[in-house]
């Protein structure tokens, strides 16, 4: 094997994304104290380039610019060039993404920023063609040499602007939390819904699980049949579209068009984790078998492609793979030509073509087709004159054939690092799947994954690490790691009734209080007080594809308060909610997880305690109900947990339904308890 012509400092890193750049002629450094101190010592501009392993345009820019000797010469002469994996360093990504968005009005990846030696940004953008990149870097280097005061002045103004963005003004008077808060929010939200294709009236389309989880719960609790119909339609369209893989299961990151057809083909753990939860909850509500199929097939994909023997989950599969002709191509692993399908499927091609639109509607580019269907299996079975069960069995047979053929292709690249927060989201996904489908194996996998985290991602002293790869844990954890790990521990408790998980959750909560808290707002910083300071310290409150760490923490406080009977925790949750309420009315979609929390305060919320020898059967009954407005605790023995204390009666299994600590008379049947919750 030919020895690489170039090797830079990234060769010592573990991130697959950084290692992809280890043999660029650019003298890349990793983000660490040594690299940042070097820029200060040499008084050289920093060039900070941020991406991730599954990012298609990151690969394009690497090939066009970072592998080019001429470009490398400009970068090496004038800059300390630092490569950042945004999944390893979401703090760095957030800080500089805010700067790029302030400078350009847009953002994305790859993200490229030029900063002063002290880290303050002066210029930035996303993808650049080679000539644009060379020209910009040359001009900035010349300006820094000839008129550095101009860059210093701009950096100062930008820094002030970014600091202003981080100010969260606490309202002088707290708002009363009642149902009227939703009136304007929901009517405004409904105006941007796409009732034809699902999702929003725009493209590209992201799944935005927490948005639709909120709309589902709100529609159900408010008996808004039109909104409920829209949410179910959206989840149908997503799972029928090309963004969902009918061959191997699993979801791609987003759709580039309005009909959920052509995905950006990378598959991320965090999308699949959240969508498993969403479809599990939708199955609880509707008992529609298709939603159960989506859950099961997505988890099969996760187990086959994103899980190792230890129980840990990997991060992502790349969008690109070898197209069979020696070239890396986006979507090559997933798409089909008509000739391929006819050859593989034979006499069944016509049926398959009818279901999955091997026609003008399903055609993508270069005579490639991305599988998409537009009708339910019930509708298709009528059209094809088959029973639903027959059609479903036939499609599974044909999908298996295609899967066997596809397995011969070159697979997309795997990002095999494990991230604490994303693993925790997947644990929650398995818990919700277990509750909905009562498959014991799902709970076993969830417990194996939390054991992995508690064994490998806990530092001496109890703090968490952010990432794990090749037997090595690194990077002090961020707020999102604590938030989602605590959430997963609460989900595990409600799934297993093991109070051990509550104890662990409360231990981590104490660390969050100590390392992340902003006393003035009651909210939490994204980075620990133990970490090296960046240009500003972010308080993350807006929910995106992944909910904000603060909104997850507010839910954690609320649930722990309800389970333990510690009302101080519920007060903390409300204080956090009050801090963000002013922003919710302007753009509710960015606060959907907060809105789920708001429902807890404005609508009935139940504390359910189950005691006695038959508690497991009663718990299963509750787990299979769509009840998002409850906490569930259970035990067959005496417990000191607030919600269970003094509730055990000898020789009888009882269900206590309570609201704000006030309980109705205990009952013995699930149906009677559900009747008390109407």
């Amino acid at each position: 094997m030919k020895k690489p012509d170039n090797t830079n400092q990234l060769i010592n890193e573990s991130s697959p994304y950084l290692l992809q750049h280890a043999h660029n002629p650019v003298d890349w450094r990793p983000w660490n104290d040594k690299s940042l101190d070097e820029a200060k010592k040499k008084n050289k501009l920093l060039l900070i380039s941020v991406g991730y392993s599954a990012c298609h345009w990151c690969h394009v820019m690497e090939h066009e610019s970072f592998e080019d000797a001429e470009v490398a010469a400009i970068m090496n002469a004038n800059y300390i060039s630092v490569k950042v994996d945004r999944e390893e360093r979401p703090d760095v990504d957030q800080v500089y993404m805010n700067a790029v968005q302030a400078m350009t009005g847009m953002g994305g990846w790859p993200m490229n920023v030029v900063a002063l030696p002290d880290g303050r940004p002066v210029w930035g953008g996303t993808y650049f063609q080679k000539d644009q990149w060379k020209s910009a870097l040359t001009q900035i280097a010349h300006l820094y040499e000839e008129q550095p005061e101009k860059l210093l002045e701009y950096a100062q103004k930008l820094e002030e602007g970014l600091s202003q963005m981080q100010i969260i003004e606490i309202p002088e008077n707290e708002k009363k939390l009642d149902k009227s808060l939703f009136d304007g929010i929901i009517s405004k939200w409904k105006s941007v819904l796409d009732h034809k294709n699902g999702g929003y009236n725009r493209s590209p389309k992201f799944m935005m699980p927490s948005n639709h989880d909120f709309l589902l719960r709100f529609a159900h609790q408010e008996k808004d049949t039109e909104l409920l119909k829209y949410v179910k339609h959206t989840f149908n369209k997503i799972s029928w579209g090309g963004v969902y893989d009918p061959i191997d299961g699993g979801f791609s990151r987003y759709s580039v068009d309005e009909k959920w057809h052509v995905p950006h083909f990378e598959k991320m753990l965090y999308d699949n984790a959240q969508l498993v939860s969403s479809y599990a909850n939708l199955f609880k509500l509707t008992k529609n078998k298709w939603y159960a199929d989506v859950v099961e097939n997505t988890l099969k994909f996760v187990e086959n492609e994103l899980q190792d023997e230890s129980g840990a989950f990997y991060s992502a599969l790349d969008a690109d793979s070898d197209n069979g002709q020696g070239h890396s191509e986006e979507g090559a692993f997933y798409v089909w030509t008509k000739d391929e399908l006819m050859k593989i499927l034979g006499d069944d091609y016509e049926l398959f073509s009818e279901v999955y639109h091997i026609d003008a509607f399903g055609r993508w580019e270069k005579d490639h087709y991305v599988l998409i269907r537009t009708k339910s299996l019930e509708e298709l079975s009528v059209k094809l004159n088959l029973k639903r069960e027959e059609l479903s069995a036939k499609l599974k047979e044909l999908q298996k054939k295609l899967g066997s053929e596809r397995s011969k292709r070159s697979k997309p690249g795997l990002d095999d690092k494990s991230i604490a927060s994303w693993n925790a989201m997947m644990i929650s996904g398995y818990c919700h799947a277990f509750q909905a489908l009562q498959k014991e194996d799902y709970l076993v996998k969830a417990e194996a994954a939390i054991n992995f985290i508690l064994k490998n991602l806990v530092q001496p002293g109890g703090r968490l690490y952010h990432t794990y790869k090749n037997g090595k844990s690194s990077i002090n954890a961020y707020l999102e790691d604590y938030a989602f790990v605590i959430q997963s521990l609460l989900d595990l408790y409600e799934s297993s009734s093991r109070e051990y998980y509550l104890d662990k959750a409360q231990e981590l909560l104490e660390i969050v209080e100590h390392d992340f808290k902003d006393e003035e707002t009651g909210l939490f910083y994204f980075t620990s007080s133990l970490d090296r300071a960046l240009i500003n310290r972010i308080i993350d409150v807006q929910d995106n594809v992944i909910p904000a760490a603060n909104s997850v923490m507010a839910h954690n406080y609320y649930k722990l308060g309800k389970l333990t009977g510690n009302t101080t925790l519920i007060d903390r949750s409300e204080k956090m909610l009050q801090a963000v309420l002013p922003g919710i009315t302007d753009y509710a979609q960015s606060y959907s997880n907060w809105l789920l929390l708001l429902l807890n305060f404005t609508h009935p919320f139940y504390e359910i305690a189950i005691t006695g020898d038959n508690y497991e059967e009663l718990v299963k009954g509750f787990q299979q109900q769509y009840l998002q407005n409850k906490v569930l605790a259970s035990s067959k023995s005496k417990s000191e947990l607030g919600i269970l204390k003094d509730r055990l009666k000898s020789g009888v299994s009882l269900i206590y339904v309570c609201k704000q600590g006030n309980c109705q008379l205990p009952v013995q049947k699930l149906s009677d308890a559900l009747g008390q919750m109407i």
Side-chain angles (χ1 to χ4, degrees), residues 31 48 92-100 111 113 115 119 121 535:
W31 180 279
I48 302 158
V92 176
D93 178 58
Q94 274 194 331
V95 163
Y96 288 106
M97 184 62 74
N98 287 347
V100 168
M111 175 175 65
V113 174
I535 55 171

Side-chain angles (χ1 to χ4, degrees), residues 78-94:
N78 299 289
Y79 300 90
I80 299 295
S81 297
V82 177
K83 225 349 153 174
V84 178
D85 180 342
R86 69 175 294 258
E87 296 165 1
E88 277 196 336
R89 296 302 306 244
D91 56 335
V92 176
D93 178 58
Q94 274 194 331

Side-chain angles (χ1 to χ4, degrees), residues 294-305:
V294 171
V295 169
E296 290 172 343
N297 291 332
T298 302
L299 291 178
K300 279 180 190 171
F301 156 72
V302 169
E303 288 157 24
N304 290 335
E305 303 296 338

Side-chain angles (χ1 to χ4, degrees), residues 4-18:
D5 294 331
N6 305 283
T7 301
N8 56 50
Q9 293 180 36
L10 300 184
I11 196 66
N12 299 313
E13 296 300 303
S14 61
S15 156
Y17 176 66
L18 299 185

Side-chain angles (χ1 to χ4, degrees), residues 44-47 74-81 114 137 140-141:
K44 289 181 80 171
L45 291 171
L46 279 162
L47 194 157
I74 296 170
M75 293 172 66
N76 295 342
N78 299 289
Y79 300 90
I80 299 295
S81 297
V114 173
L137 294 189
I140 295 165

Side-chain angles (χ1 to χ4, degrees), residues 635-653:
S635 179
K636 70 175 180 179
S637 55
K638 187 177 178 182
S639 172
E640 292 301 308
L641 185 65
I643 192 172
L644 293 172
K645 193 171 183 182
D646 300 327
R647 294 256 158 87
L648 185 68
K649 306 296 179 189
S650 179
V652 63
S653 295

Side-chain angles (χ1 to χ4, degrees), residues 397-460:
E397 175 193 323
L398 302 183
Q399 289 158 359
K400 190 174 180 181
K401 276 188 182 180
L402 292 175
S404 177
E405 193 64 29
R406 194 162 78 175
S407 68
K408 299 172 187 175
R409 298 175 179 177
S410 295
K411 280 190 174 184
L414 172 68
D415 187 328
D416 60 353
K417 68 176 177 293
S418 295
I419 297 172
S421 56
W422 298 8
N423 269 252
M425 284 183 231
M426 197 68 247
I427 291 168
S428 291
Y430 269 102
C431 286
H432 298 145
F434 163 72
Q435 291 169 18
L437 304 180
Q438 290 297 307
K439 290 196 170 185
E440 199 69 31
D441 184 54
Y442 293 162
L443 181 57
V444 170
K445 284 189 162 54
E447 293 192 308
I450 198 65
N451 289 338
F452 164 82
I453 289 176
L454 297 176
K455 179 182 177 183
N456 297 289
L457 283 164
V458 176
Q459 305 175 36

